[in-house]
Amino acid sequence: MSKKPVLLVIAHGSRDPRHAATVHALVRRVRALRPDVRVETGFLDFNIPSVQGVLESLAAEGVRDVVALPLLLTRAFHAKADIPAVLRDAPPQLRIRQAEVLGPSPLLMAALERRLYEAGLTPADKSSTGVVLASAGSTDPEAIAVIAEIAREWRHTGWCAVRPAFASAGSPAGFPRTEDAVRELRELGCERVAVAPYVLAPGFLPDRIARGAAEADVLADVLGAAPEVARVLLERYEAARVPVLAAVGA
């Protein structure tokens, strides 16, 4: 049987050193869960190694099969344009399949709750707590719809209310900023308000979410290297690697 495809985790990159540190921590957790899978990390911008550099190194080693996994929560511009463009420029001897983005997933919702409980809430607080689902933001209609649907689904798990919010100034009208959603939940009568950042790693927009949470009672940490996030990565890898292997008769 052929070796398992290499898992290439593709992160956006950031000038904020916390971003790369969080990505590497998540990748270490994935490696610990699946020591039989080779896991590499490449960045689209700001950090090294670059995606192109990793792909060239893999090709030089004689690797043939790669699953490229976007470290993204929604299918927005990077997943639809940036990453496919980089992969098209990969060495021709590589057989690459782009995995689906991480969200939506029940595991990610479990990770959001994990972070809220780590920040001080308990399951008994759910019915009296309003939650702001604070995402980085997007102008992509598909990504916007996904965030709104996650908020609706999460509300049905027992929270007093759940409101989506976007941190990016370029997000469309109709989605409040974090601070606006916090005030809305106060006015709704929720006993306490918590902000759950639906982002993977620290950086400029997560810092904006944190500033917007100044009037909230609880601010959860980013998803980061939560074990549920690592499991989603491996689910996406497994779903993508089967067609790769089938294509080569493995």
Side-chain angles (χ1 to χ4, degrees):
M1 179 178 290
S2 300
K3 292 182 179 179
K4 294 180 176 66
V6 171
L7 169 56
L8 172 58
V9 176
I10 301 179
H12 182 271
S14 171
R15 292 186 179 90
D16 189 323
R18 297 173 298 168
H19 174 90
T22 302
V23 171
H24 291 310
L26 175 59
V27 169
R28 285 194 297 272
R29 187 179 285 275
V30 172
R31 288 178 179 139
L33 288 173
R34 287 292 301 274
D36 58 317
V37 175
R38 179 176 175 181
V39 187
E40 300 291 343
T41 308
F43 295 90
L44 291 172
D45 206 354
F46 301 116
N47 303 106
I48 56 173
S50 68
V51 176
Q52 187 65 28
V54 174
L55 291 171
E56 291 173 357
S57 295
L58 291 173
E61 289 180 32
V63 170
R64 291 294 174 263
D65 296 309
V66 176
V67 169
L69 194 156
L71 197 60
L72 301 168
L73 295 173
T74 58
R75 271 182 46 79
F77 181 78
H78 294 303
K80 294 178 178 179
D82 283 356
I83 292 175
V86 172
L87 297 181
R88 282 194 296 270
D89 290 335
Q93 62 267 44
L94 292 175
R95 291 181 290 248
I96 304 174
R97 185 171 182 86
Q98 182 176 328
E100 292 295 328
V101 298
L102 304 185
S105 167
L107 285 170
L108 293 178
M109 296 179 74
L112 286 167
E113 295 210 357
R114 169 191 289 275
R115 293 305 190 216
L116 285 170
Y117 297 150
E118 289 171 350
L121 293 179
T122 70
D125 296 323
K126 291 183 75 168
S127 62
S128 57
T129 301
V131 178
V132 178
L133 179 69
S135 69
S138 176
T139 58
D140 186 284
E142 182 180 351
I144 294 166
V146 166
I147 298 300
E149 180 60 25
I150 291 171
R152 282 192 292 269
E153 289 185 10
W154 206 14
R155 164 67 182 86
H156 295 313
T157 66
W159 297 101
C160 172
V162 180
R163 294 290 186 271
F166 278 176
S168 172
S171 298
F175 279 81
R177 298 172 301 169
T178 303
E179 52 267 42
D180 299 328
V182 169
R183 295 188 189 106
E184 180 186 347
L185 290 171
R186 290 271 188 232
E187 293 170 0
L188 192 65
C190 296
E191 185 176 317
R192 67 185 64 78
V193 177
V195 173
Y198 190 60
V199 293
L200 285 166
F204 175 75
L205 290 177
D207 284 349
R208 181 178 287 176
I209 289 171
R211 291 192 297 272
E215 296 181 12
D217 301 294
V218 174
L219 171 61
D221 199 359
V222 299
L223 295 173
E228 295 88 353
V229 179
R231 287 168 57 196
V232 176
L233 262 71
L234 290 170
E235 283 187 356
R236 299 294 183 257
Y237 168 77
E238 288 296 336
R241 86 177 184 96
V242 173
V244 169
L245 295 180
V248 298

